Amino acid sequence: MSTNDNKNLSSTERIKMASDGLRGTLKESLHDELTGAIREDDQALVKFHGMYQQDDRDRREERSAKKLEWLYSYMLRLRLPGGFMTGEQYVGLHNIAGEHSTGVIKITTRQTIQLHGILKSHVKPTIQAFNTILIDSISACGDVNRNVACAAHPKFSPIHEEIFSYAGKISKLGLPKTKAYYEIWLDEKPLLDPKEKEEVEKDPLYQDRYLPRKFKIGIAIPPNNDVDVFTNDLGLIAIIENDKLVGFNIAAGGGLGTTHGNAATYPRLASMLGFVRGEEQTLKAVLEVITIQRDHGNRSDRKLSRLKYTIDKMGVEAFKAELEKRCGFKLEEPKPYTFTSRKDDYGWHKNHEGKWYYTVFIENGRIADEKVALKTALLEVAKTGKVNFRFTSNQGLILSDIAQKDKKAVEKILNDFGIIEHTENAGAMRKSAIACVAFNTCSLALAEAQRYLPSLITKVEPILAKYGLQNDDISMRMTGCPNGCGRSYAAEIGFVGTAYGRYNLHLGGDREGFRLNKKYKENIDEPAILKELDELFEKYSKNRRAGETFGDFAVREKLVTF
């Protein structure tokens, strides 16, 4: 069954292997009208179809007091390699969100979309509606290769589209072969002949075990590291020579999830392995990194099952040797490259083809009519049929591929709804901030994140202004638990939820994505956070060196030690 040496498989491993190609009893669970939940084993399997079962945690106490079942619903995440969607597809997304979910369209930190609050009876109609606009949610969650992220802004490179195409190729490479998704959600006829089914669903990559845990891939195009490439299980850095893509530097073993109180868990940045040349070598290396994790990853303790632990167990050199053995070729030495930032480039930009791009500020990725009529405005832009949508790994959105003759019409809509003013007036820290979903839907959340970070920044901005730092792009990120979905460990200032209203404060990450931060203060509340930041920003404003970032200052001053 396995080439790894784990004898005590976790319960999830047993569920996967007994699932009949991820089918389980999902059909039966869907038809059970006595509960809004699905069966326990199916809760593990439904992730592979792009969903998590959740409940409204704001209403748990009230419903329990009334002896009612918790208000269960489902989060659906789309598979959008590189975060691309046409305007027509966005109109469909808008309508599906309104009909079947809370209505909020949530941009994730992996360039895709999540819809929350989908009731069980609406799950199948939601997936079928997405299918009509040629979008699916296969492998958006689960122990498989997740949504492949890629540098979002085409203005950065004349060969952006060539590099961007790798996101789709890798996404296809990492799809499971099972037809369960099509049978359960799209009513395709099941394969009844056992031999035919075995042949069609034979899966050399995932077999019947899939991966020990989720697997994330990011593609960066220097000089911008907007995908935070080293936080991925597998990172590809495009190497361009004489305006031609020659290959990729390949790094492996990134991942930010930890567990409070468990010293065996830790955030880690990917280790550079080498350079691969051309498409054939690149795709082969990607595939074989995944197979090594499949065969050697920990299948007994899911807290220790990500690729970062596999690499640290094997050792980087041994891992590289195994990769070269499986690939049948040696990796070359890494090529030189430079990262200068990780942020989104807001406002209007023109690329080498004369096409226009407008990057919209969307706080924490929430597309809704809240501070401004953002959701309505984006629908109107999409309806023009003149724009594509490119979501970013910073929870942003680029309205893209706009012809010169169409720019004025798009700009008028953005101005009429106050979107350009909203984007221009947002402060530097607010624009670079990231927060995970956390409360009220994430079952793992210990503290707030996306609902709280905007108000915290409102209180921090006067402190920044007091010390003349309001235009400094200090990166601040917040997660409601230690799993790191908001990449808080890779920020200059990171907040990690420990209990409701309390966070660990981390300092010392850099702006380019080469260094993680370290814990500075533990389990502090808002008054303590504001006091600490006031003191830190005062020191920074007085003692910083020319051009020194806050993260670098924190390290030089030994506020945290490495």
Side-chain angles (χ1 to χ4, degrees):
M1 178 193 71
S2 170
T3 57
N4 76 40
D5 57 3
N6 292 316
K7 294 184 175 69
N8 302 310
L9 294 177
S10 70
S11 59
T12 303
E13 290 298 315
R14 300 183 192 282
I15 291 168
K16 286 186 287 188
M17 287 189 292
S19 70
D20 185 23
L22 305 178
R23 291 171 177 85
T25 56
L26 275 166
K27 282 189 174 181
E28 292 82 353
S29 282
L30 288 172
H31 291 134
D32 185 354
E33 296 179 359
L34 294 177
T35 173
I38 57 176
R39 298 175 184 181
E40 189 174 351
D41 285 3
D42 290 335
Q43 290 172 33
L45 298 177
V46 81
K47 295 176 185 178
F48 292 81
H49 300 260
M51 280 163 279
Y52 280 84
Q53 178 177 293
Q54 301 180 328
D55 76 283
D56 187 341
R57 294 180 64 179
D58 289 345
R59 299 184 64 183
R60 276 187 185 179
E61 193 175 333
E62 163 214 336
R63 291 182 71 85
S64 294
K66 293 178 179 177
K67 295 185 169 47
L68 294 172
E69 180 180 73
W70 287 351
L71 186 55
Y72 291 109
S73 65
Y74 297 82
M75 178 274 282
L76 180 72
R77 183 183 295 151
L78 303 179
R79 183 172 67 94
L80 297 176
F84 180 85
M85 184 181 284
T86 66
E88 185 181 5
Q89 287 175 321
Y90 186 86
V91 173
L93 166 64
H94 176 100
N95 293 334
I96 293 165
E99 188 173 346
H100 296 294
S101 76
T102 62
V104 175
I105 297 170
K106 172 72 176 178
I107 306 171
T108 78
T109 55
R110 297 199 62 73
Q111 296 181 294
T112 188
I113 293 296
Q114 292 180 180
L115 298 182
H116 291 260
I118 304 170
L119 298 178
K120 189 165 78 170
S121 61
H122 282 254
V123 171
K124 191 168 178 177
T126 301
I127 291 176
Q128 291 181 337
F130 275 117
N131 187 61
T132 66
I133 57 172
L134 306 180
I135 293 176
D136 64 57
S137 60
I138 303 168
S139 293
C141 317
D143 299 343
V144 283
N145 176 46
R146 300 278 185 95
N147 197 57
V148 181
C150 182
H153 208 309
K155 95 173 179 70
F156 286 121
S157 171
I159 55 173
H160 177 276
E161 288 305 309
E162 181 186 354
I163 299 167
F164 179 85
S165 72
Y166 275 85
K169 292 169 185 174
I170 293 169
S171 180
K172 186 177 180 182
L173 185 76
L175 284 176
K177 303 299 185 190
T178 174
K179 300 300 178 186
Y181 181 92
Y182 304 96
E183 291 176 16
I184 295 167
W185 311 110
L186 303 178
D187 293 327
E188 286 196 8
K189 189 177 178 182
L191 295 167
L192 299 177
D193 185 302
K195 274 192 173 179
E196 183 188 9
K197 182 178 176 182
E198 184 181 351
E199 189 60 35
V200 169
E201 298 195 345
K202 188 176 182 181
D203 198 332
L205 176 58
Y206 292 126
Q207 301 169 359
D208 66 342
R209 304 170 286 147
Y210 302 91
L211 298 180
R213 276 298 292 277
K214 59 188 172 184
F215 195 93
K216 298 179 178 180
I217 298 175
I219 305 169
I221 306 177
N224 196 4
N225 185 23
D226 57 340
V227 299
D228 253 331
V229 69
F230 294 110
T231 66
N232 288 269
D233 292 272
L234 179 59
L236 299 175
I237 301 166
I239 301 299
I240 300 164
E241 295 176 358
N242 300 318
D243 292 329
K244 288 186 177 179
L245 175 68
V246 292
F248 296 88
N249 284 347
I250 185 168
L256 301 183
T258 70
T259 302
H260 284 316
N262 185 344
T265 66
Y266 47 83
R268 185 189 193 278
L269 293 180
S271 302
M272 189 66 75
L273 300 180
F275 172 78
V276 288
R277 189 176 295 274
E279 181 176 323
E280 187 178 340
Q281 278 198 0
T282 300
L283 296 181
K284 179 64 171 172
V286 168
L287 179 72
E288 297 302 351
V289 168
I290 297 173
T291 67
I292 297 173
Q293 168 64 350
R294 177 198 67 202
D295 296 340
H296 292 273
N298 189 322
R299 291 183 181 270
S300 58
D301 186 346
R302 289 180 64 80
K303 293 185 188 303
L304 301 175
S305 57
R306 289 289 294 276
L307 179 65
K308 60 184 175 180
Y309 302 116
T310 307
I311 286 183
D312 282 346
K313 180 178 69 175
M314 294 176 68
V316 174
E317 287 307 312
F319 185 91
K320 179 181 174 181
E322 179 65 19
L323 176 60
E324 292 176 333
K325 177 183 169 186
R326 294 188 182 208
C327 285
F329 58 80
K330 293 279 187 186
L331 304 186
E332 298 179 39
E333 286 298 308
K335 302 283 186 183
Y337 66 95
T338 302
F339 286 142
T340 56
S341 76
R342 289 184 296 176
K343 64 181 183 176
D344 288 344
D345 211 345
Y346 292 100
W348 284 109
H349 298 281
K350 187 195 284 191
N351 79 345
H352 61 286
E353 298 172 310
K355 291 179 179 175
W356 285 94
Y357 299 81
Y358 188 84
T359 304
V360 183
F361 170 57
I362 300 176
E363 194 157 22
N364 303 145
R366 282 178 59 86
I367 299 178
D369 288 345
E370 293 172 337
K371 291 180 180 176
V372 289
L374 180 62
K375 189 179 174 190
T376 302
L378 293 179
L379 176 63
E380 292 305 310
V381 169
K383 281 179 177 177
T384 67
K386 309 294 186 184
V387 177
N388 288 322
F389 285 64
R390 296 177 187 265
F391 305 109
T392 80
S393 292
N394 290 316
Q395 301 178 310
L397 167 64
I398 303 169
L399 300 172
S400 71
D401 312 298
I402 303 166
Q404 178 69 47
K405 63 182 176 62
D406 300 319
K407 178 175 180 277
K408 192 173 286 187
V410 174
E411 191 165 30
K412 184 179 188 306
I413 295 170
L414 295 176
N415 273 320
D416 287 349
F417 284 93
I419 305 306
I420 289 179
E421 183 182 9
H422 174 68
T423 297
E424 289 178 349
N425 289 346
M429 175 176 279
R430 196 178 294 274
K431 280 181 175 175
S432 64
I434 294 176
C436 70
V437 171
F439 281 93
N440 59 327
T441 53
C442 180
S443 62
L444 301 175
L446 303 169
E448 296 278 5
Q450 75 165 6
R451 297 200 299 192
Y452 172 55
L453 185 57
S455 64
L456 177 64
I457 291 175
T458 297
K459 294 172 183 176
V460 171
E461 284 175 331
I463 302 173
L464 290 167
K466 182 166 66 170
Y467 300 115
L469 301 173
Q470 64 271 26
N471 296 319
D472 198 319
D473 293 315
I474 299 170
S475 65
M476 180 184 284
R477 299 174 177 179
M478 177 177 283
T479 52
C481 81
N483 284 298
C485 295
R487 302 201 297 272
S488 50
Y489 299 110
E492 292 177 276
I493 301 173
F495 293 102
V496 181
T498 55
Y500 204 84
R502 291 188 169 270
Y503 301 85
N504 288 342
L505 169 58
H506 292 240
L507 302 176
D510 66 351
R511 293 214 183 148
E512 297 81 29
F514 292 111
R515 183 178 68 235
L516 295 177
N517 54 34
K518 291 283 187 178
K519 192 191 300 179
Y520 176 68
K521 294 289 180 179
E522 203 162 16
N523 202 36
I524 57 176
D525 59 9
E526 184 181 279
I529 288 170
L530 295 174
K531 180 175 180 292
E532 291 290 346
L533 292 181
D534 193 313
E535 293 172 0
L536 288 166
F537 292 153
E538 183 180 19
K539 286 180 188 173
Y540 175 51
S541 66
K542 289 179 178 176
N543 302 315
R544 68 190 294 192
R545 292 175 177 169
E548 187 173 40
T549 65
F550 179 76
D552 289 349
F553 171 79
V555 173
R556 181 175 62 80
E557 289 286 309
K558 294 186 170 54
L559 300 175
V560 287
T561 54
F562 289 80

